Structures are given as structure tokens and as C-alpha cells.
Amino acid sequence: MPLDVAAEVISNVHLSSDYNVLGLAAPDIAGRALPGQFVMVKAADRLEPLLRRPFSVFEVLEERGRLVGLSLLSKRIGPSTTLIYDAKPGDRIQCLGPLGRPFAPVAAPDEAWLVAGGVGLAPFATLAKILRARNITVKLYYGARRAAELFYLDLFETMGVTLVLATEDGSRGELGRVTVPLERDLRTRPSDASVMLYACGPEPMLAAVAKLSSAHGRPSQISVERVMGCGVGGCYSCVIPITTPQGKPHYVRSCLAGPVFRGNEISW
């Protein structure tokens, strides 16, 4: 069962005028969380906004070998995320989790290619850490609008993750969408090399990754970013179409059946 705690804010790092990483003292939730799972949060001392917001668990925080909490990677786009952006150490954030179906890590000697767009980077910090601990080769394809929105590159480099970057304005890495170098590498990768693709980000990017992986005979796991009103299946705000064996779409709640799905499960 998920836990619901009033977690104290232990840090708030502003990465830019819109992006931040919020650290929460929620060790019991952090200790249960698996890569790809999420939490539902809101400012604990306010009635508005009424509903919580979903965030992937970004980092599991430790201090001197002791579990102290978790962090959330956020972009300020509305009232709820503005409160997250403005939170100060000592504030309380109501945090429910961990929730949802996580990624399934591959076993060595498979390779793992992580494809992230924007805040879709969030679930990959914990996933990459687990994969690298198993000595699995990991490559991160990371795209953003501009170089200033590519975050935590040093974290992944320190773990031994190979970076492939792309920006829409060409300010860092390749010019254009991150699926361009991904498609090139899929096309040139030997067919006998085992590769699992993981993706999280905007839905058009996820659809492209799922279709590319299928076209090149590679399995994929996709973490969808649907709007969630409750995170526990009660509001039906996050339904997503799944292809049935009969070829007809069947709608499921992504907060329960996901947010991680096999790429070929989703009716794009």
C-alpha cells in the first residue's frame, strides 16, 4: 500500500527560471520506490489547488549511508508547480506513494537505451543507477528545446552513461529532435545485439520511440505522462488506449496499469 506523509522540504535547487529539484524528507516512500514509479504531491497547508500533481521519483537521497528522502524534478507551468518551485526548506508537502507500475530492468549483457525529453529525464536517474550497478551498458538520448534545459548531465556521466544530446535550436548536441540520432543508431546497430529501449517525455516523442523500436525489432518500455487527478484509479482522468489481441483499443487507467507500458501495448 502507498504511504501518505506530510514530508518536510529539505532542499530546493532552482535549475533555471522554470525548473527545480525539490528534496523531500520521505525516507519510507523512498525506500519502497522503484524506477518509473511516481508520487502525488501538493502543498500540505493549502486547500488550493485541490488536487495533487504526479511526479516521477527522481533521486533517492542518502546521507552518510542513511536513507533520508527523495527528490522531484519539476517544471513550473501552473499554480501547483509554482508552489513546488517556491517551496522553502521546512515547508511541508503532502506526498503519496510510491504509485504505479515501474520499469523492468534488463539483465546483463543487454544494453539499455534511455530516451528522455524535458522532465521525462526524471525516472532515469534511479534506473540508470540500478542498470550500471549490474554492469549493463547504458546510453541516454536526451532532448530539449535548448542547451540550458539539459540538466544533470554530470550525474549520468559519473555513472558511466554515454550521452547523446539533441536540442531544437542546435545549441548543444545534434540539431532537431532526439529521435533522429536514435533512429540512426537503431538502423546501424547489429541485429544480434540485444537492446532494450526505455522512454519518458512528451507523448509525440513516446509514440515515435515505440514505432521506431518496433520497426527495428527492439523491445521498448514507455512511461506515459498523462494528467492524473488522484493517482489511485478513482477519477479516470488518466485513461490510455491499449491494443487488445482483437486489434481494438481498450482503455485502462495509466496510474494503475502504468505509467510504464510496453511500447507495442499502446494504441498510438
Side-chain angles (χ1 to χ4, degrees), residues 136-155:
I136 294 170
T137 299
V138 179
K139 185 183 291 187
L140 173 65
Y141 294 82
Y142 185 14
R145 290 180 299 174
R146 52 185 179 270
E149 294 180 359
L150 295 170
F151 304 117
Y152 279 78
L153 302 181
D154 54 344
L155 172 67

Side-chain angles (χ1 to χ4, degrees), residues 26-61:
D28 292 336
I29 295 177
R32 299 183 182 191
L34 297 173
Q37 289 190 299
F38 65 96
V39 293
M40 298 291 293
V41 303
K42 65 170 289 186
D45 60 347
R46 296 173 181 264
L47 292 178
E48 298 291 339
L50 179 63
L51 300 178
R52 306 191 195 202
R53 295 280 297 177
F55 288 88
S56 295
V57 174
F58 181 42
E59 301 164 289
V60 172
L61 304 176

Side-chain angles (χ1 to χ4, degrees), residues 18 20 44 48 65 110 123 125 157 167 191 205 234:
D18 291 313
N20 71 302
E48 298 291 339
D110 292 352
E157 288 179 319
T167 49
S191 59
M205 186 203 81

Side-chain angles (χ1 to χ4, degrees), residues 67-104:
L67 200 62
V68 296
L70 55 87
S71 70
L72 311 175
L73 173 61
S74 174
K75 180 181 180 182
R76 178 169 55 174
I77 56 175
S80 295
T81 47
T82 295
L83 292 173
I84 296 297
Y85 187 87
D86 293 337
K88 296 177 175 57
D91 288 351
R92 295 282 176 173
I93 301 291
Q94 204 67 34
C95 183
L96 173 68
L99 300 165
R101 186 170 74 172
F103 290 114

Side-chain angles (χ1 to χ4, degrees), residues 2-219:
L3 303 174
D4 193 359
V5 301
E8 182 178 347
V9 174
I10 54 179
S11 63
N12 189 357
V13 179
H14 286 186
L15 304 175
S16 71
S17 59
D18 291 313
Y19 290 85
N20 71 302
V21 173
L22 190 74
L24 299 177
D28 292 336
I29 295 177
R32 299 183 182 191
L34 297 173
Q37 289 190 299
F38 65 96
V39 293
M40 298 291 293
V41 303
K42 65 170 289 186
D45 60 347
R46 296 173 181 264
L47 292 178
E48 298 291 339
L50 179 63
L51 300 178
R52 306 191 195 202
R53 295 280 297 177
F55 288 88
S56 295
V57 174
F58 181 42
E59 301 164 289
V60 172
L61 304 176
E62 296 183 3
E63 187 176 286
R64 298 173 184 167
R66 181 175 61 90
L67 200 62
V68 296
L70 55 87
S71 70
L72 311 175
L73 173 61
S74 174
K75 180 181 180 182
R76 178 169 55 174
I77 56 175
S80 295
T81 47
T82 295
L83 292 173
I84 296 297
Y85 187 87
D86 293 337
K88 296 177 175 57
D91 288 351
R92 295 282 176 173
I93 301 291
Q94 204 67 34
C95 183
L96 173 68
L99 300 165
R101 186 170 74 172
F103 290 114
V106 296
D110 292 352
E111 291 185 31
W113 293 5
L114 320 180
V115 189
V119 292
L121 179 72
F124 292 140
T126 53
L127 179 61
K129 184 177 181 180
I130 288 176
L131 293 170
R132 291 299 299 138
R134 297 178 181 178
N135 211 28
I136 294 170
T137 299
V138 179
K139 185 183 291 187
L140 173 65
Y141 294 82
Y142 185 14
R145 290 180 299 174
R146 52 185 179 270
E149 294 180 359
L150 295 170
F151 304 117
Y152 279 78
L153 302 181
D154 54 344
L155 172 67
F156 289 91
E157 288 179 319
T158 299
M159 287 190 281
V161 174
T162 300
L163 301 180
V164 180
L165 308 177
T167 49
E168 293 179 14
D169 65 358
S171 53
R172 185 160 184 185
E174 298 200 27
L175 171 64
R177 296 176 178 174
V178 74
T179 49
V180 174
L182 174 66
E183 182 177 14
R184 182 183 62 238
D185 289 354
L186 282 169
R187 189 170 56 248
T188 58
R189 190 69 178 147
S191 59
D192 60 349
S194 182
V195 177
M196 170 68 79
L197 273 70
Y198 300 88
C200 185
E203 189 158 306
M205 186 203 81
L206 298 182
V209 171
K211 292 173 184 177
L212 284 172
S213 63
S214 180
H216 291 275
R218 307 294 188 179

